[in-house]
Amino acid sequence: MNSTEPVIKVEGLTVRYGSDTVLQDVGFEVQPGEIFVIVGGSGCGKSTLLKHVIGIETPAKGSIWINGTDTSALDDVELRTLRMGIGMLFQSSALFGSMTIGENVALPLTEFTDLPMKDIESITRMKLGMVELAGYDNHYPSELSGGMKKRAGIARAMALDPAMLFLDEPSAGLDPVTSAELDVLIKKLNEGTGTTMIIVTHELETIFNISHRIIMLDRNAKGIIAEGDPRILRRDSDDPRVTDFFNRRVTEKKTKG
Amino acid sequence: MPHENSYHIEAAGSGVVTLVLTGRMDLERFGDLTGLIGAIFDAHSPSKLNVDMNGVSYLDSAGALFIVRLEDEARRRSVVFALSGLSREKMGILSLIDRDALTKPSLAPRERRMNVIEHLGVASIAAVRDIYDIMSFTGELMCEIGYSLTHLQKVRWGDVVSYMKKVGVDGLPIVGLISFLLGLIMAFMSSLQLKQFGANIYVASLVAVAMVRELGPIMTAIIVAGRSGSAFAAEIGTMKVNEEVDALTTMGFSPMRFLSIPKVIASLLTVPVLTIFSSIFAIMGGLIVGVLGLNLTIFTYIQQTMKAISVFDIVSGLAKSFVFAAAISAIGCQRGFKARGGAAAVGNATTSAVVTSIFLIIVIDSTFAIILHYV
Ligand SMILES: Nc1ncnc2c1ncn2[C@@H]1O[C@H](COP(=O)(O)OP(=O)(O)OP(=O)(O)O)[C@@H](O)[C@H]1O
Ligand SMILES: [Mg+2]
């Protein structure tokens, strides 16, 4: 895996909102076909990091390469082409309220392919089926539960079978069973198509079951405090912030029985 | 070794057909591949279909969907189907496809197009229900105003002041400008006619009476409806859509008292003042035409203006604008609270607030005209 060129390379990324520095000098690489998980406490800048990587926000400093091209050097048209190969699930789902769920998922297909309506419809149904939302194509987002909106957002992000999928807390608001099924879906997509997955999550199950590598961000450090295989990190790290993250959850789980 | 995107069909004797697929099977190729399904079954009418995928370098969910469709079609025609050359990972993709999901009927019916008569019926019912809604909202608002008047310390005066600034201070430039131009135009047009009779001085009366009694209150109300009525509807509508109104209710607030009362009180206090300014600006517009175009002195123009308008005119104009203010702010809030759904609902609420306000302004004005006629 080390010999290949990274699909995402971030170097010296600094993000400021006003005088508040959220991220300072962050750098990491994501290899093709990797399930890359970003963890960290609430408000440490995970969503912000994703938004900068896909280029919808511009960093104060630093550069981001996607597939070997520096995104800051691209013009609007090139950026749009690049983004067509990227699917993103926003933390708030960001479904279009005036469209049905079916139309939300079909939107990228109708915009970016010349497939006939019939085919678009069956692809839409397949994607909704993958996230267990079969039959909800004519519902409006306001008629779905929070977790269902999340899943519809995932279906929309996957509509074009992107080579890179960014998921911001995909399993927030999902029950443990659906959340585990989502992990299976992610793993199968990753193994079958080699889709690179960049996932923000707090679920230890997701981290240990499917991730290849994680980075841990910290609000005070304004950057990455740990990086690597989560199983090895849990075993070997002596950074209290890292062990806390893994152990507190684990002990909580144990006491629950 | 990358393969070219291609396929070929090998038809051996005894009805065994082999479809050999190579290259990428992805969304881009999906249209071409699905076209293949009919061709295979119609042209070769096989009894057994082998699909050889050894040469497939990439399979995504669209490619997998094609395989599922092919298999379904084979089953429908009772053709034996066999798949070969798929790695375990690629089988994983195939297993993601939930066959039931592809055919499962939608749980909600698709929105039907209505015919004219249905439309008429639905619109009539909506109109009647709307009148009912507005009346019950007005009733509720009255109760809340009554409550606020008896519990003055419970009114959110900070909000009242901030809305007074938004409605009044921020609205003054546009109200002033439009009124000034209106006075200018009115004076100019009427002067063309009145000059012929040597009745120049009556330009002042005309501008003063028309503005103070009718146009001042109406113009101001329409501008406030467009500026602030819409803003009220959008603000409350967005809060409603984002469940913020529900959050208020849960925390034990009355959303009506919390959100509407400050807006209504602010409007009631500022719109009459804006109306006075509107008349003053229009009279200034008329004055400029009078002095520059009709050789009147500033003093005679103002004197004639004072003579033309009575205290009754001023009071009735202000009373009218007071009622307009109540109607605009109440409708703005009511439309906001009625918003349901998403961003589009907020847009609709805003539009509807402005349209309904302007309609009500005309209705109220006519009512006043009739009442004042008999007073
Ligand atoms: N548009 C913005 N303007 C100002 N500050 C912002 C903006 N967006 C994010 N922030 C700040 O950046 C920090 C990180 O926010 P971010 O949404 O990335 O957190 P997060 O790690 O995704 O947290 P969570 O797990 O709660 O979603 C926060 O302190 C937030 O206040
Ligand atoms: Mg976040």
Side-chain angles (χ1 to χ4, degrees), chain B residues 114 116-129:
Chain B
M114 288 187 281
V116 180
I117 296 181
E118 271 179 293
H119 255 302
L120 201 65
V122 169
S124 314
I125 293 172
V128 171
R129 197 167 288 159

Side-chain angles (χ1 to χ4, degrees), chain A residues 17 20 22 40-49 91 169 202 219:
Chain A
Y17 287 113
D20 179 23
V22 179
S42 179
C44 69
K46 304 180 296 294
S47 304
T48 307
L49 180 62
Q91 191 165 8
E169 302 197 15
H202 301 297
R219 182 83 181 104

